[in-house]
Amino acid sequence: MENLEMQIKDNSLLEKIKKGKEVLWINPGKIPFQEASENLPLTEEDIEEARKRLERFAPLLMKYFPETRERNGLIESPLTEIPYMKKRMEEKYGKKCRGRLFLKEDNRLAIAGSVKARGGIYEVLKHTEDLALAHGLLKPGEGYEHLGDPEKKRFFKDYTIQVGSTGNLGLSIGIISAVLGYKVIIHMSADAKQWKKDLLRSYGVDVREYRSDYGKAVEQGRKLSARDEKSYFVDDENSKDLFLGYATAGKRIADQLQEAGIAVDQEHPLFVYIPCGVGGAPGGITFGLKEIYGDHVHCFFAEPVQAPCMLLGMSTGLHDRISVEDVGLTGKTQADGLAVGRPSAFVGKVMEPLLSGAVTVEDEKLYRYMKDLLDTQNIFLEPSACAGFQGPVGIWGSPEFEAYLRKNHLEDSMDRAVHVLWATGGILVPEEIRRNYMKEAENL
């Protein structure tokens, strides 16, 4: 703790973090992607393997989730230009947007309605494939849709899947696991919204609630799962499978940009702003994008002022050896999906040479962005998913960002830039909860 105090005392950024102020951090450790890729623990081939696995499971997904049929079993979301929100942000927040502004609508992802559908569902499917192959559940030439047959489900009922979650990851893990026949235990922290717990229970999921934070829920889930040889724990803090599921988004959005006739290169840079909790989803997305675009994509994370665990871990270099409570923050936020006190060490270390930077945002701004987007584009996001809007508001025009542009020789390219705000959840939010969110926004 003595060394920690010395680092905090010597760092003006950390002094602002300790006071719960909004900050912008530009990552000094970012290096050219070609150089960084030589030491990364995962490769483009790993992402391709994950993508092919999802293709194998597409028939099963179409069978049990009709909403995926339109995309042939692909769990994917639209990429939507939001010019009216761009205008609102420029007028209301005084931020000139050089380039075009888009929303990646993972709030509309099939099955789980959030970005967690990418990683969470992928990891459960991979575990299912591993079990099926190990126990001969698939006959030669038999399609993966048969893994949902009654006799297969009876097999999976002997196995348990567990995870610790603040909400959306629990939804994705719980829904897909229950449909496949597994016993499911979701360990929910105090920050999780009640409607998410209720939805999981409607699928027959065992939801266990903890008065403490996300870290304690994960710890208890991990311990309980370790006692049962037929239990599989989805480790949001360290899972490479979750990470790779998220990373498949890179190729998906690249296809969407190409279909829209949008180039990404030095003259047409891509900027992406992603809400961040423990780091798995934004880290995986960033990794997938960097594998596609290298130095032409610039990724920034956005976190609540009271729970900036990834920014804190990366800016100090301590990663999971520091928590927001260590610097006097509460870890409490209305952005339940981002209410994490300690970051993933695995993700933070992968991001060290890749991430462009991070910003923090006050809770009340999440509600303002939510209302602005609904008013201008008729798109609803839950508060957590609105953190990405702080990227442009907290970054554009700042001295730090202007220095970043100069360093990367982008000053003359910004009028041709594309900015993508990654929306991480919202479509499953009950109407009554939406109305309550809007009342809070109107009272600000």
Side-chain angles (χ1 to χ4, degrees), residues 76-263:
E76 196 43 75
S77 68
L79 179 65
T80 306
E81 189 161 13
I82 48 172
Y84 303 115
M85 182 62 174
K86 174 177 178 285
K87 183 179 180 183
R88 171 69 62 88
M89 291 170 71
E90 290 179 333
E91 293 175 349
K92 186 173 181 178
Y93 302 103
K95 298 292 184 174
K96 174 64 178 175
C97 176
R98 296 175 61 192
R100 299 168 68 180
L101 187 64
F102 288 78
L103 188 71
K104 181 58 176 159
E105 293 193 70
D106 274 9
N107 55 298
R108 292 173 57 185
L109 279 179
I111 305 177
S114 81
V115 66
K116 301 298 185 179
R118 297 185 184 278
I121 290 174
Y122 171 75
E123 179 152 357
V124 172
L125 294 180
K126 183 179 184 300
H127 179 59
T128 300
E129 182 182 62
D130 290 343
L131 285 175
L133 294 177
H135 294 273
L137 297 186
L138 286 173
K139 300 173 184 176
E142 194 172 36
Y144 276 41
E145 66 272 21
H146 290 285
L147 289 174
D149 292 348
E151 66 272 19
K152 309 289 198 313
K153 284 191 174 184
R154 283 194 290 272
F155 170 83
F156 292 126
K157 277 193 178 298
D158 288 335
Y159 291 82
T160 302
I161 291 180
Q162 304 192 47
V163 68
S165 174
T166 60
N168 285 341
L169 181 63
L171 283 180
S172 70
I173 298 292
I175 291 172
I176 187 66
S177 299
V179 167
L180 289 173
Y182 291 101
K183 296 175 185 175
V184 193
I185 303 175
I186 307 297
H187 303 267
M188 289 281 206
S189 65
D191 309 282
K193 303 300 184 186
Q194 187 61 45
W195 71 265
K196 296 182 181 181
K197 300 171 188 176
D198 294 341
L199 179 57
L200 281 167
R201 288 179 174 130
S202 74
Y203 278 87
V205 171
D206 180 358
V207 177
R208 304 195 181 178
E209 302 182 50
Y210 298 83
R211 293 182 179 179
S212 50
D213 65 7
Y214 164 84
K216 191 67 174 178
V218 171
E219 179 185 342
Q220 291 301 312
R222 189 184 286 118
K223 285 181 180 178
L224 184 63
S225 186
R227 297 175 191 155
D228 181 357
E229 63 179 14
K230 287 191 174 182
S231 178
Y232 180 85
F233 184 72
V234 179
D235 192 340
D236 194 16
E237 296 178 341
N238 301 296
S239 174
K240 291 183 179 180
D241 289 330
L242 269 180
F243 191 82
L244 287 170
Y246 298 127
T248 60
K251 178 66 166 59
R252 305 273 184 79
I253 197 172
D255 290 342
Q256 291 176 319
L257 290 169
Q258 186 175 21
E259 289 170 9
I262 297 173

Side-chain angles (χ1 to χ4, degrees), residues 2-57:
E2 182 178 346
N3 290 337
L4 172 58
E5 293 296 336
M6 288 177 62
Q7 291 196 49
I8 294 170
K9 185 176 181 180
D10 294 341
N11 193 316
S12 60
L13 173 73
L14 285 175
E15 289 299 329
K16 292 178 182 177
I17 293 173
K18 287 171 65 178
K19 295 174 182 176
K21 293 184 177 181
E22 292 182 343
V23 300
L24 163 61
W25 173 70
I26 299 296
N27 179 16
K30 179 177 173 290
I31 60 177
F33 180 71
Q34 186 172 359
E35 179 183 345
S37 64
E38 296 174 0
N39 296 307
L40 295 176
L42 297 168
T43 66
E44 187 175 3
E45 288 71 26
D46 293 318
I47 301 175
E48 182 63 15
E49 181 180 336
R51 189 188 66 78
K52 289 180 178 178
R53 181 171 288 109
L54 288 171
E55 286 183 357
R56 293 196 291 273
F57 274 99

